Every structure is written in C-alpha cells, then in structure tokens.
Amino acid sequence: MEFINIAIDGPSGAGKSTIAKIIAKEMGYIYIDTGAMYRAVALKMLNLGIDIKNEQDKVIEALDNTEVDIAHSDEGQLIFLDKEDVTGKIRTPEVSMGASAVAVIKEVRLKLVELQRILAKKNNCIMDGRDIGTYVLPNAKIKIFLTASVEDRAKRRYDELLEKGQKVVYEDVLSDMIKRDKNDSERSFAPLKPADDSILIDTSGNTLEKSVNIIKSIILDKIGK
C-alpha cells in the first residue's frame, strides 16, 4: 500500500501546525509536527544549561543520550523527550529560539529527519516544518508553502501565547520571529525555502477558516476527491 504524504512548509507563525492539524483530523490522516521535535531537543539543551549557539559540540554530544518520540491521542500529537511528555513545555519563546538554534546543527537534523521519514512511510500523513518538501519528503504527493507577513505572524503567535497565560510583549515576539526567519532561511543545511513544485499560499489577513478551506480544497483536488 502506498501512503499519501502531504508536506506543508513555511516560516514560524504562518499557521502551518494549526491548519495541518485541522485538515489531518478531517481527512483521517496522521499529523506530524516536526517543529515540536526540534523544540524538544532545544528544551533538553536548555535544561542541561548548554549554550546552543556557542556550544554546538556539547549539543552533539548530548544528542547521543536524547530520545524524541511522537504519539497521537484524541487531543492531537504528543511529544516525548526521554520518555517524558513535554507537549505542554515546548511552546515558550525561549524554547522557540532554542529550536531555531538547534535546527542549524546538521547532526540534529539528521537524527530527527530519520524518525520523520519512518513515520511518513507507515502512514497517510500531513507533515509540517521548514524543509519537508525540499529535504525530508522530496517525493511528497502534495507540497504547500504557507506564508504571511512577519507582522501578521507575530500577532498570531502573540495572541496564542497570551491565550496560554504567558506574559509577553508583542515587540519581543516580533523581534524573535525576525531572528528565527533569518536563522531558518540562512542555515547552510536544508534551509527554509519553497520546493520548486510547491504551491505558494499567503495567509496574510485570512481567517483560520478561510485558510483551512483554501488548503483543503487544493489537497482534495490533487488527490482526486
């Protein structure tokens, strides 16, 4: 049986995870949030007191004793770090910046990409991230590159963090997002960029419902339903 893989790439805050999660549930596909894996690795390094940007050798060394797993529940994807459920601990601004920093390390990407490809081989899935269509799943049946203005994306992330009860300042969220965009697009190994055969969708100003409907329509059209 050949499984259908759908890749959704794009910068931080474009709505990839939210949209992919909704569509996967409606279609009965597995949703795989690859960013959560990088966040888990970042959380591990932060817990160990490792300066990710300046101590990459220590990151690589700690990686040998780092286990990242994904499970699925009725509430959605769960992320486990060394067998501990850290789903609720990986969405802070500090972990977000740490995730962007560990993502430039080739050894980290190679370890996590192996797991991502194994999951995709066994399931109809929607996988979102930064390099899914270009590197992780280059043969994905459908590739979408989702973007929005950096101000729009920062406002969405700001509202999301406020809703979770975190004390944040919009300007700080915007600044962090600009830095993440730079890190993600300029890294030497598997940088953030649209695949040549991806469909570019700008969600600036869209409601969530509108973006979901646009993307789901494209997917259904491509798979012939």
Side-chain angles (χ1 to χ4, degrees):
M1 178 179 179
E2 185 177 350
F3 292 102
I4 296 174
N5 295 160
I6 299 167
I8 300 182
D9 289 304
S12 177
K16 303 183 302 295
S17 298
T18 303
I19 292 168
K21 196 181 301 181
I22 291 170
I23 295 175
K25 186 173 183 180
E26 291 180 357
M27 294 182 64
Y29 283 26
I30 293 295
Y31 162 63
I32 303 172
D33 174 6
T34 63
M37 298 180 182
Y38 291 96
R39 287 172 178 272
V41 172
L43 179 63
K44 170 73 172 276
M45 303 308 156
L46 291 170
N47 287 343
L48 291 174
I50 294 173
D51 182 340
I52 297 170
K53 286 189 175 181
N54 298 310
E55 298 180 320
Q56 291 194 3
D57 56 333
K58 290 186 178 181
V59 173
I60 295 168
E61 184 180 343
L63 199 61
D64 289 337
N65 298 310
T66 301
E67 184 180 341
V68 177
D69 287 306
I70 282 180
H72 293 87
S73 70
D74 292 339
E75 287 74 40
Q77 176 181 280
L78 302 175
I79 189 83
F80 287 84
L81 172 63
D82 299 331
K83 296 186 167 54
E84 177 193 353
D85 183 354
V86 295
T87 309
K89 298 180 180 179
I90 58 172
R91 298 294 170 183
T92 66
E94 185 181 22
V95 173
S96 293
M97 287 305 299
S100 185
V102 297
V104 306
I105 303 172
K106 184 175 182 179
E107 287 81 358
V108 173
R109 300 199 74 82
L110 289 174
K111 176 169 182 159
L112 297 184
V113 166
E114 181 181 7
L115 174 59
Q116 292 156 12
R117 287 175 174 165
I118 289 170
L119 290 169
K121 282 182 180 179
K122 297 178 179 178
N123 300 280
N124 288 326
C125 74
I126 298 180
M127 184 181 294
D128 79 79
R130 303 290 193 278
D131 60 351
I132 310 305
T134 55
Y135 179 67
V136 181
L137 301 177
N139 296 317
K141 186 174 183 67
I142 302 163
K143 300 177 185 179
I144 291 170
F145 192 87
L146 197 62
T147 189
S149 70
V150 68
E151 294 81 8
D152 211 26
R153 292 186 283 116
K155 180 63 166 60
R156 293 175 189 171
R157 182 56 51 81
Y158 172 73
D159 290 342
E160 175 188 329
L161 293 171
L162 283 184
E163 192 175 319
K164 292 180 178 178
Q166 297 185 28
K167 293 182 178 180
V168 288
V169 177
Y170 168 76
E171 287 73 17
D172 292 342
V173 177
L174 176 62
S175 176
D176 285 349
M177 194 154 285
I178 290 171
K179 290 176 186 174
R180 288 203 71 187
D181 286 353
K182 182 177 173 65
N183 282 349
D184 292 339
S185 60
E186 293 183 359
R187 66 181 181 232
S188 59
F189 183 66
L192 166 68
K193 64 177 181 178
D196 292 339
D197 53 348
S198 66
I199 301 166
L200 181 63
I201 299 174
D202 190 324
T203 65
S204 298
N206 284 3
T207 63
L208 175 60
E209 183 181 13
K210 181 176 181 181
S211 295
V212 167
N213 288 339
I214 289 171
I215 295 166
K216 187 176 180 182
S217 176
I218 290 170
I219 291 172
L220 293 178
D221 182 62
K222 289 284 185 181
I223 64 176
K225 291 188 178 181

